[in-house]
Amino acid sequence: MPASTPRPVGASGPELHDHLTCVAAPATWLSPPDGRLAGGPGGLYVADRRVLSRLVVTLDGAEPEPRDAETLGADRVRFTAARGALAVERVRTVRHDGGTERITMRNDGDGIATVTFEVTAAADLAQISDVKAGDPPPPETPLRDGAVLTGPDGYEVRLEGRTEAALVLAPGDRFTTTLTVRAAPPPVPGFRPAPPDGPPPWARTPLTVRSADPRLDALVAQGVADLGALLLADEGDLYCAAGSPWYLTLFGRDALWAARLALPLGHEPAAGTLRTLARHQGTGHDPVTEEEPGKIPHELRPAYAPGRLPPVYYGSVDATALFVVTLAEAWHWGMPAEEVEALLPAAERALAWLGTFEEFVSYRGSAERLPNQGWKDSSDGIQHLDGTCATPPIALSEVQAYAYQAAMLGADLLEAYGRDGDRHRSWARGLAARFRARFWLEEGYPAIALDGTGAPVDGLASNAGHLLGTGLLDRDEEARVARRLGELNSGWGLRTLTAEAAGYDPLSYHRGSVWPHDTAIAMLGLSRTGHREQAAELARGLIAVAPAFGHRLPELFGGQARRDGAAPVPYPPACRPQAWSAAVSPALVTVLFGLHRDATTGQVSATPLPGFGPMTVTGVRAGGRTLTFTTEDGAPASD
């Protein structure tokens, strides 16, 4: 970010926007563009612990001058530097249990070069939560070839590789050494993020777009690669970690949305996410963890990664409804019938939890742990138009839409397997009637929420985009929401809050910034409700913004209006990659090609959007088939 750009008020965490990141969950390796690790948030992290905090290469005691840095994939980056006639290349690759750095030095001069090569490496074993909070790091311990560093809680780190050499290089000669860092977290009972057993299910035929716009092609490729790099497993079941570096673990809401947006990659991430969350579904009442019977957890972390929340925490008002919707959508997309049936008891428990709310689904829990329990979960994320924060318990508009959709789709799903679903439809119809009576404002759009007093939280917000396509709104209401969403479009994507609100701040977390996944959800809703030109406009914004971030969309960025020649303003601590931002890529494929799978026939149809030129998509996986679609600028696509 340029020095003149202000740091966002309330930005939580160190600045990361200029860092290069390699990911192979649960490991991530990030550093500035020069590749050196020497303070700050950079480092190699494995399972929420920094196992490499210092890595400095010197030649005769001086660091070579950086030349270039290039991302080679989700898990790899190359740095180049030089000192005199000596060229230095560092190829860094992260692995699930650590990483490697291959350092190659070449004499490009005409004479013999005599040089002392040295690598200084150290680990401080800092907790990722402490780094995010900006706490002083623990003392570093030097790492030497073959030595094992053991932390006080049993966390082990080993470095292997040659770290010093006295070299004599003739012209054209090379010297190469590879450093390998391996980490072993201590064995602990309970939940523990584990690497997947193999490559992503789509690895042999990855989702790929070839179009007239290279930005779109690169955005899809990067998003698909990042989703693969963020995959974790629980008892062999795949799910996407929320994001690097702060959230390489399971977040219920994030993982469910990522799986839904990524369904063109196949049903496996959705199925694995659902099975994992079902294993941790609430069974009793616990005021500390906010567990309730049938409730889907918000966040799970292992016991060795302490934070301010319990290791298994249920403070989410929307994950339970999203669980049912994700199961229904995965069923429509071709999830095997026996796998769907095995999850029906968990879906019924989730629907029963929704049914405990007699009026609206709202927060139930302690504001001291998480003040807002929807996706806009910052302390000031839900505000009235005059800038005052809404008081809990808060009933969010989008949560009512998720709950309605869950009850209706859940009823269909249950009846398809011979179970009773009609009582859930009845509950949904009552919720829709109450919503229509209480949430709609005179200005012609639904309130963000109802606060603890029952008063509507006014001001136009991107929450309204999540209502589209859920069935909660009638056709006239959908049209009104579609029109008003245009007022939130920055040109790069939807602002989370209208600029007319007193609390609007384009560089805040949730009060005017742009979140790519939020825009993609609205884009999908617009497409599914027949507002295809508005969907196309949002798609163009997401494609246009991608090059500014190396085609790796961040968690969020500034909501300033798009201007010719200007780039979007980064949000310094944003995660990049983040799962639901990476999942924007397959979501774009869904919208641009108009993909739809008929659960009855098993056929996938495509009705492409006009205005994007000829396009071909390969690697669409549905119901055991891998499909290719080709279209000529909006003409019906052929398989």
Side-chain angles (χ1 to χ4, degrees):
M1 178 182 289
S4 59
T5 302
R7 180 175 173 81
V9 176
S12 176
E15 297 192 6
L16 298 177
H17 65 275
D18 64 345
H19 281 54
L20 298 176
T21 302
C22 308
V23 182
T28 187
W29 196 336
L30 59 152
S31 71
D34 58 12
R36 71 195 302 265
L37 305 179
L44 170 60
Y45 298 83
V46 178
D48 289 337
R49 197 68 60 88
R50 183 158 57 186
V51 300
L52 192 64
S53 55
R54 185 169 298 273
L55 187 66
V56 178
V57 176
T58 59
L59 305 179
D60 288 336
E63 294 183 61
E65 182 179 349
R67 293 288 192 236
D68 192 22
E70 178 186 8
T71 298
L72 303 179
D75 63 346
R76 188 171 305 168
V77 67
R78 176 170 56 213
F79 305 97
T80 56
R83 184 167 185 268
L86 297 174
V88 180
E89 178 189 75
R90 301 164 63 177
V91 177
R92 176 175 297 169
T93 305
V94 71
R95 306 188 313 188
H96 298 299
D97 64 347
T100 64
E101 181 143 332
R102 188 187 72 226
I103 305 172
T104 300
M105 187 164 54
R106 184 183 66 249
N107 182 3
D108 287 342
D110 297 328
I112 294 175
T114 301
V115 64
T116 299
F117 163 85
E118 185 174 6
V119 176
T120 302
D124 62 8
L125 295 181
Q127 295 275 3
I128 188 74
S129 57
D130 295 336
V131 176
K132 185 175 187 290
D135 295 342
E140 290 184 324
T141 300
L143 296 176
R144 304 294 183 190
D145 182 12
V148 177
L149 168 63
T150 303
D153 58 357
Y155 202 111
E156 292 186 352
V157 183
R158 177 192 295 268
L159 181 141
E160 297 174 350
R162 192 174 180 183
T163 57
E164 55 185 354
L167 303 174
V168 178
L169 301 176
D173 280 357
R174 297 170 181 258
F175 164 79
T176 299
T177 184
T178 298
L179 306 179
T180 300
V181 178
R182 290 189 173 88
V188 293
F191 176 80
R192 178 174 176 174
D197 295 332
W202 58 84
R204 296 184 66 179
T205 55
L207 189 73
T208 304
V209 170
R210 294 288 179 265
S211 72
D213 190 339
R215 302 173 303 174
L216 170 61
D217 303 357
L219 175 57
V220 171
Q222 186 66 57
V224 171
D226 285 339
L227 285 170
L230 288 167
L231 283 177
L232 287 169
D234 181 79
E235 299 185 18
D237 288 318
L238 297 176
Y239 64 89
C240 278
S244 168
W246 315 124
Y247 308 120
L248 286 177
T249 188
L250 176 60
F251 281 72
R253 175 194 307 117
D254 299 56
L256 289 165
W257 264 121
R260 289 178 64 190
L261 296 174
L263 277 170
L265 298 180
H267 72 273
E268 294 90 346
T273 300
L274 290 163
R275 285 192 288 266
T276 300
L277 291 172
R279 281 192 286 273
H280 299 277
Q281 189 174 23
T283 58
H285 292 272
D286 186 336
V288 175
T289 65
E290 302 186 25
E291 179 183 2
E292 297 176 16
K295 197 174 183 183
I296 295 299
H298 167 61
E299 175 181 353
L300 295 93
R301 289 189 182 271
Y304 58 72
R308 65 183 185 88
L309 299 175
V312 180
Y313 176 59
Y314 291 82
S316 166
V317 74
D318 52 8
T320 306
L322 292 171
F323 178 92
V324 180
V325 175
T326 303
L327 177 60
E329 291 188 349
W331 172 55
H332 279 281
W333 201 255
M335 183 174 167
E338 64 277 10
E339 295 184 31
V340 174
E341 186 171 19
L343 286 164
L344 291 182
E348 289 182 305
R349 292 191 294 270
L351 289 168
W353 181 81
L354 291 174
T356 63
F357 294 89
E358 295 182 358
E359 187 174 27
F360 297 111
V361 181
S362 60
Y363 304 174
R364 283 198 302 226
S366 172
E368 295 178 358
R369 282 185 284 275
L370 200 60
N372 282 309
Q373 296 191 356
W375 85 263
K376 294 180 179 178
D377 57 1
S378 54
S379 60
D380 60 356
I382 308 299
Q383 292 189 2
H384 292 271
L385 192 61
D386 64 5
T388 59
C389 289
T391 56
I394 296 170
L396 295 165
S397 61
E398 74 272 20
V399 171
Q400 314 318 309
Y402 303 159
Y404 176 90
Q405 187 178 25
M408 297 298 282
L409 294 183
D412 293 344
L413 182 58
L414 291 172
E415 289 178 353
Y417 283 84
R419 304 184 183 215
D420 176 34
D422 195 56
R423 68 185 187 277
H424 302 301
R425 287 197 193 90
S426 177
W427 180 87
R429 287 191 289 266
L431 176 64
R434 293 189 295 274
F435 183 93
R436 191 160 285 115
R438 298 280 303 280
F439 271 80
W440 279 91
L441 303 172
E442 293 181 359
E443 292 80 2
Y445 55 84
I448 300 168
L450 302 182
D451 69 10
T453 70
V457 181
D458 48 4
L460 183 62
S462 63
N463 305 57
H466 292 229
L467 278 54
L468 295 172
T470 64
L472 180 66
L473 308 181
D474 62 29
R475 290 180 64 86
D476 177 66
E477 290 165 344
E478 288 171 346
R480 281 189 276 165
V481 168
R483 286 194 299 270
R484 298 306 297 265
L485 283 180
E487 300 172 31
L488 297 174
N489 192 356
S490 72
W492 307 114
L494 289 184
R495 296 185 179 98
T496 44
L497 182 65
T498 174
E500 304 303 315
Y504 168 75
D505 179 356
L507 279 175
S508 66
Y509 203 51
H510 290 128
R511 294 181 288 106
S513 56
V514 173
W515 289 63
H517 90 282
D518 185 38
T519 297
I521 291 169
M523 176 184 69
L524 283 164
L526 288 164
S527 177
R528 289 167 178 166
T529 55
H531 301 91
R532 303 186 77 208
E533 181 49 43
Q534 292 98 316
E537 187 176 356
L538 293 182
R540 293 185 188 101
L542 290 169
I543 294 168
V545 82
F549 296 103
H551 301 96
R552 174 178 269 177
L553 294 177
E555 179 185 14
L556 72 156
F557 54 88
Q560 291 86 349
R562 180 178 174 183
R563 302 190 312 274
D564 291 342
V569 178
Y571 183 87
C575 288
R576 191 163 64 99
Q578 191 187 44
W580 58 18
S581 292
V584 167
S585 292
L588 275 167
V589 170
T590 299
V591 170
L592 296 185
F593 283 84
L595 298 182
H596 172 73
R597 184 178 188 273
D598 187 314
T600 303
T601 65
Q603 297 299 308
V604 179
S605 61
T607 310
L609 283 178
F612 290 86
M615 299 183 293
T616 296
V617 59
T618 58
V620 176
R621 301 174 66 249
R625 302 170 62 203
T626 301
L627 306 172
T628 296
F629 294 96
T630 298
T631 180
E632 294 294 332
D633 196 19
S638 59
D639 173 12

